[in-house]
Amino acid sequence: MTVLKTVNLVKIYSGGAVPVPAVRGVDLQVDDGEFIAIMGPSGSGKSTLIHMLGGLDARTSGEIWLDGKRVDTLSESAWALLRRKKVGFVFQFFNLVANMTVADNVELPALLGGASTKDARERREHLLEALNLTERADAAPAQLSGGEQQRVALARALANKPSLLLADEPTGNLDSRNTRDVLRLLSEVHRDGQTIVMVTHDARVASLADRVVSLLDGEVVDDGKIARRRPAKGGAGEVIDLR
Ligand code: ADP
């Protein structure tokens, strides 16, 4: 089943002296449970594309379909509702609620999504533990490092098990240990059937994906399934060790 589809999606920034065509006719189809990495050089339109997919940036033309429903025509408030129910976000600016603890920030989306108090608490505990944040549960976002805030944003985005997880550089600020924790959690939720679309520069993140979509100058120049090399006899192959 297709979770997400774009048809000839275009974004032209026209606020400045010269219009900037950031995304130029992207056709993308993401199936249920797929993990897609979007890669490409700086300025190739990755952030603009993922922002449009989550309704944070309005498209200039084209269509976006989510779970069989056209969404590019929705109002801001309809998008907000959709995000609460179906789309988890991890963006480079961390949209945490400043006057809530880490624990409450992570639990809230699950509660808003209709989970019971017990389920929301269990989910929160699991996510904080998986991201090495249990000790920071009572802290306020302002007391956290950039990397900690980024991991809380990921936990928050996954709290209500959204149909689609969108992430823009989820390991951008992280050291190697925390990157490993994030990769391990992404692998786990992907294994459990979570659909993921993620912008990344990081080859380790991309190597977990089923497909890499490469952008250049706002266009898809490559969209291919990752060929998983079979391990040579007795060899370790290309398996990434996330332990
Ligand atoms: P990437 O994420 O691949 O680095 P972006 O989507 O951020 O690429 O940018 C694509 C192009 O759109 C770039 O040329 C960038 O300068 C331009 N751009 C991005 N945001 C804006 C904006 N708010 N106003 C005008 N131009 C923008």
Side-chain angles (χ1 to χ4, degrees):
M1 202 189 77
T2 302
V3 171
L4 178 71
K5 186 171 86 163
T6 69
V7 183
N8 201 12
L9 190 61
V10 171
K11 173 70 181 185
I12 301 170
Y13 289 105
S14 49
V18 203
V20 179
V23 170
R24 305 191 302 165
V26 166
D27 295 306
L28 187 67
Q29 185 164 326
V30 182
D31 287 339
D32 194 16
E34 253 192 318
F35 182 165
I36 296 200
I38 299 179
M39 301 189 85
S42 184
S44 56
K46 305 181 298 295
S47 294
T48 302
L49 175 62
I50 204 156
H51 283 194
M52 287 193 287
L53 298 181
L56 292 193
D57 232 342
R59 73 181 180 358
T60 304
S61 63
E63 299 170 12
I64 306 173
W65 296 74
L66 185 63
D67 278 346
K69 196 171 166 245
R70 181 134 182 218
V71 295
D72 54 89
T73 47
L74 293 181
S75 65
E76 292 261 329
S77 56
W79 256 116
L81 201 62
L82 194 68
R83 279 196 292 266
R84 184 184 295 175
K85 284 188 169 162
K86 294 198 165 177
V87 185
F89 271 96
V90 196
F91 283 122
Q92 280 172 345
F93 51 95
F94 315 108
N95 43 347
L96 302 176
V97 182
N99 58 2
M100 275 189 183
T101 63
V102 165
D104 289 342
N105 261 286
V106 176
E107 215 171 291
L108 186 66
L111 292 172
L112 291 175
S116 69
T117 319
K118 178 170 168 286
D119 288 349
R121 196 185 60 230
E122 281 175 9
R123 181 83 178 142
R124 176 252 287 174
E125 284 170 356
H126 172 67
L127 290 167
L128 291 185
E129 165 105 47
L131 292 170
N132 192 28
L133 287 166
T134 304
E135 283 175 16
R136 310 297 275 142
D138 296 326
Q143 296 171 305
L144 304 177
S145 69
E148 285 172 332
Q149 289 191 35
Q150 191 164 25
R151 281 175 290 137
V152 175
L154 176 60
R156 185 178 157 86
L158 287 167
N160 60 351
K161 303 188 177 171
S163 323
L164 177 65
L165 175 71
L166 297 174
D168 193 355
E169 294 284 359
T171 56
N173 289 310
L174 303 181
D175 62 20
S176 58
R177 180 195 166 169
N178 290 320
T179 297
R180 199 183 55 211
D181 287 343
V182 166
L183 295 184
R184 196 193 284 127
L185 181 63
L186 289 174
S187 298
E188 177 197 309
V189 296
H190 177 41
R191 228 176 13 248
D192 290 346
Q194 175 72 60
T195 311
I196 304 171
V197 177
M198 181 169 295
V199 168
T200 186
H201 278 112
D202 189 331
R204 287 166 303 173
V205 179
S207 70
L208 293 179
D210 302 314
R211 254 167 78 195
V212 173
V213 172
S214 300
L215 288 187
L216 186 65
D217 294 338
E219 290 182 293
V220 174
V221 289
D222 191 27
D223 181 351
K225 287 211 185 295
I226 295 183
R228 304 240 174 245
R229 210 182 290 160
R230 287 182 184 278
K233 256 191 189 151
E238 283 194 322
V239 176
I240 297 182
D241 186 356
L242 296 176
R243 274 169 302 166

